[in-house]
């Protein structure tokens, strides 16, 4: 968005310019004027999307000029900044058609909240109603981080969804490394420590950006800081994240604690990731038992079998029988593509688009974004509880 700034205060100008440029999309101060008279006398050839002006510079007789300015830029949103927002001023501002009045000194959070409203009203961004999808590994090394990060990337790349991964590991979180070579400046623990700054712009500024519509909030790098993360912090983060992203993918790790429980409680879907092996099935069963005892509805839990290879001794039907739950998706074993991607920190879809694992993630995107319904089992399978029929030679 392009804004005209009307103020004599160069510090205020610099402050708004800095806050504006941190936004996504950025708010650019394309011109500045010393007062409303100056603004009216030197109109911009290219009308601004916003006019931000300092009420301290409006002389008592100048409100008519302000009204003229409003008519001059009929499509612009006006933001009034005032040291003392007394009733008279508010009435004049409202009469002139202004809705955003902010108190000085500027409270950054209030500024960004006002900008969020303006952007939604003008259609620059829309208030989203994001879905929270939690990936949780049934056993260490099941591939939950690999799938969570690569799936979120695929949501952005294939379905044009705005996606965010939150790495919830209390220690040794590695989600950023799977898809980027950037070093995170902020972690989930830092965000929790500054929770009163939380809004869309702050959250966005804390991410490692992989693409314009996909970023990762890194996991806590210090267990001491991780201990200060509270469940209510998670509530705030997810509430704001839902407003600004289409999908919030949680890499929950393996720990079930107060923080991850709060996140799981509020998740729209939980994807336990496991491999087709007895130890995974044992741990998967324990995890599903916990979810059942917590009263999570069965349809919210959707199993993903990773590194799946047909023809093994264990069949998907055995796993489903043991866990008492259906498998929602299988991801094939694709050692070379997965290892290359992880080693280089490049999403697998970008590195090897035609690989088995990339194609499987694309299928998952189709199902989750409801472009395609999951393949239903055949009548035979449903009757006999077998999800794959093997024909032995
Ligand atoms: N479909 C796949 N085919 C082959 N290898 C895979 C596949 N998915 C993941 N891997 C490999 O498995 C390894 C472990 O994956 P990942 O770190 O995602 O597991 P995790 O469940 O997050 O483990 P942790 O318990 O450490 O958090 C990765 O190095 C990755 O290369
Ligand atoms: Mg992991």
């Amino acid at each position: 968005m392009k804004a005209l700034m009307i103020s004599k205060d160069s510090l205020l100008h610099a402050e708004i310019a800095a806050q504006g440029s941190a936004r996504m999309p950025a708010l650019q101060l394309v011109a500045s004027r010393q007062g409303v008279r100056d603004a009216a006398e030197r109109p911009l050839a290219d009308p601004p999307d916003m006019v931000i002006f300092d009420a301290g510079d409006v002389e008592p007789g100048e409100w008519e000029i302000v009204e003229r300015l409003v008519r001059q830029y009929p499509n612009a949103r006006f933001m009034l900044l005032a040291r003392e927002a007394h009733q008279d001023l508010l009435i004049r501002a409202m009469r002139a058609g202004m809705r955003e009045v902010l108190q000085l000194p500027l409270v950054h959070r209030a500024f960004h909240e006002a900008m969020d409203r303006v952007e939604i009203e003008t259609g620059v961004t829309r208030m989203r109603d994001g879905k929270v999808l939690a990936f949780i590994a049934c056993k260490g090394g099941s591939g939950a981080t690999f799938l969570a990060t690569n799936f979120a990337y695929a949501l952005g790349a294939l379905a044009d969804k705005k996606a965010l991964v939150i790495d919830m590991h209390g220690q040794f979180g590695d989600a950023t490394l799977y898809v980027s070579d950037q070093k995170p400046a902020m972690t989930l623990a830092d965000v929790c420590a500054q929770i009163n700054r939380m809004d869309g712009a702050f959250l966005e500024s804390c991410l490692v950006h992989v693409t314009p519509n996909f970023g990762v909030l890194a996991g806590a790098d210090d267990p001491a800081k991780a201990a200060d993360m509270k469940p209510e912090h998670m509530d705030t983060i997810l509430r704001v994240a839902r407003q600004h992203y289409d999908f919030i993918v949680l890499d929950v790790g393996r720990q079930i604690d107060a923080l991850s429980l709060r996140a799981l409680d509020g998740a729209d879907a939980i994807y336990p990731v496991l491999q087709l092996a007895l130890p995974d099935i044992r741990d998967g069963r324990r995890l599903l038992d916990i979810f059942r005892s917590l009263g999570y509805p069965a349809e919210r839990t959707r199993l993903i079998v990773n590194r799946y290879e047909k023809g093994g001794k264990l069949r998907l039907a055995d796993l489903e029988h043991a866990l008492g739950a259906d498998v929602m998706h299988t991801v094939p074993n694709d050692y070379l593509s997965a290892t290359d991607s992880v080693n280089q920190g490049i999403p697998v879809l970008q590195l090897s688009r035609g690989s088995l694992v990339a194609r499987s993630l694309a299928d998952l995107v189709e199902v989750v974004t409801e472009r395609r319904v999951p393949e239903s089992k055949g009548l035979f399978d449903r009757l006999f509880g077998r999800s794959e029929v093997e024909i032995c030679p």
Side-chain angles (χ1 to χ4, degrees):
M1 286 186 106
K2 293 188 168 58
L4 162 67
M5 174 93 192
I6 305 174
S7 174
K8 290 194 179 77
D9 184 344
S10 57
L11 287 180
L12 181 61
H13 187 283
E15 194 178 7
I16 300 263
Q19 292 303 315
S21 65
R23 294 187 62 80
M24 290 268 277
L27 173 78
Q28 293 168 273
L29 299 189
V30 288
S32 64
R33 298 288 183 261
Q34 294 292 307
V36 281
R37 197 174 288 279
D38 183 23
E41 282 167 6
R42 291 194 295 139
L44 300 187
D46 190 11
D49 306 302
M50 272 197 84
V51 177
I52 302 175
F53 75 98
D54 187 346
D57 296 332
V58 184
E59 302 297 329
E62 286 185 341
W63 273 97
E64 267 126 57
I65 308 179
V66 175
E67 281 162 26
R68 191 147 37 101
L69 214 54
V70 173
R71 287 195 298 276
Q72 198 166 354
Y73 300 124
N75 296 323
R77 301 285 154 147
F78 281 68
M79 184 185 277
L80 181 74
L81 309 176
R83 248 164 211 90
E84 285 159 60
H86 43 79
Q87 214 180 359
D88 254 16
L89 179 77
L90 291 180
I91 291 171
R92 297 230 65 154
M94 273 158 60
R95 264 200 210 131
M98 292 167 205
R99 268 182 276 166
E100 298 299 346
V101 180
L102 298 184
Q103 185 104 34
L104 292 175
L106 194 67
V107 177
H108 293 170
R109 184 177 177 175
F111 171 74
H112 287 293
E113 281 173 0
M115 283 305 302
D116 287 348
R117 282 192 294 274
V118 169
E119 285 177 359
I120 289 159
E121 278 166 21
T122 52
V124 171
T125 55
R126 63 193 165 86
M127 192 57 99
R128 292 165 206 259
D129 180 21
K131 300 249 175 306
V132 175
L133 313 179
F135 281 64
I136 183 161
C138 292
K139 189 135 204 82
S142 312
T145 300
F146 176 76
L147 293 184
T149 49
N150 280 281
F151 170 64
Y153 172 85
L155 281 168
L158 301 177
D160 198 25
K161 299 291 181 193
K162 202 164 175 220
L164 160 71
V165 166
I166 302 181
D167 183 345
M168 295 189 59
H169 287 79
Q171 222 179 335
F172 308 124
D174 49 5
T176 52
L177 294 173
Y178 278 37
V179 281
S180 162
D181 58 3
Q182 300 167 52
K183 193 172 164 6
M186 295 283 275
T187 68
L188 177 59
D190 298 323
V191 172
C192 290
Q194 301 180 45
I195 200 70
N196 49 1
R197 290 183 63 194
M198 176 51 67
D199 60 22
F202 178 65
L203 180 58
E204 189 79 18
S205 73
C206 295
L207 306 184
V208 165
H209 288 281
V210 181
T211 62
N213 57 0
F214 167 52
V216 183
L217 178 56
D221 52 358
D222 175 351
K225 282 202 248 165
D228 293 333
M229 303 194 293
K230 298 275 176 299
E232 50 275 24
H233 296 156
M234 220 48 225
D235 290 341
T236 307
I237 295 170
L238 292 181
R239 180 177 48 73
V240 172
R242 278 181 193 274
Q243 292 170 354
H244 295 272
Y245 297 85
D246 296 310
F247 287 95
I248 301 103
V249 177
L250 306 178
D251 179 14
V252 178
R254 291 195 65 213
Q255 79 280 20
I256 296 274
D257 54 20
L259 197 76
S260 58
L261 263 185
R262 185 64 69 90
L264 290 168
D265 279 350
D268 296 280
I270 302 173
Y271 296 90
V273 178
L274 74 171
Q275 298 183 22
L276 196 47
L278 275 181
D280 290 60
I281 295 178
R282 264 198 301 270
D283 283 6
R285 205 187 159 123
R286 286 195 201 115
L287 194 65
L288 293 197
D289 283 345
I290 294 175
F291 293 163
R292 284 184 194 117
S293 65
L294 288 168
Y296 292 175
E299 60 279 10
R300 186 137 64 96
T301 309
R302 298 166 194 175
L303 295 178
I304 296 185
V305 171
N306 191 21
R307 307 193 71 166
Y308 174 58
E309 280 175 316
K310 275 193 182 148
K313 283 221 171 71
L314 278 171
R315 293 167 307 139
L316 281 182
D318 299 323
L319 179 144
E320 292 184 324
H321 182 71
L323 296 181
D326 288 350
V327 171
M328 183 243 191
H329 189 71
T330 58
V331 181
N333 189 28
D334 190 349
Y335 179 79
L336 281 182
S337 311
T339 312
D340 271 359
S341 155
V342 167
N343 284 342
Q344 296 181 50
I346 299 176
V348 70
L349 199 81
Q350 189 183 331
L351 197 62
S352 11
R353 206 181 176 94
S355 63
L356 289 177
V357 67
R359 295 215 304 258
S360 172
L361 286 166
D363 284 347
L364 188 58
V365 166
E366 297 247 307
V367 171
V368 171
T369 55
E370 290 167 0
R371 298 199 213 186
R372 178 158 68 72
V373 289
E375 275 155 37
S376 66
K377 292 179 182 175
L379 180 65
F380 180 89
D381 299 339
R382 271 184 275 133
L383 286 177
F384 298 99
R386 292 169 65 114
S387 61
E388 51 179 348
V389 183
E390 283 166 346
I391 302 165
C392 299

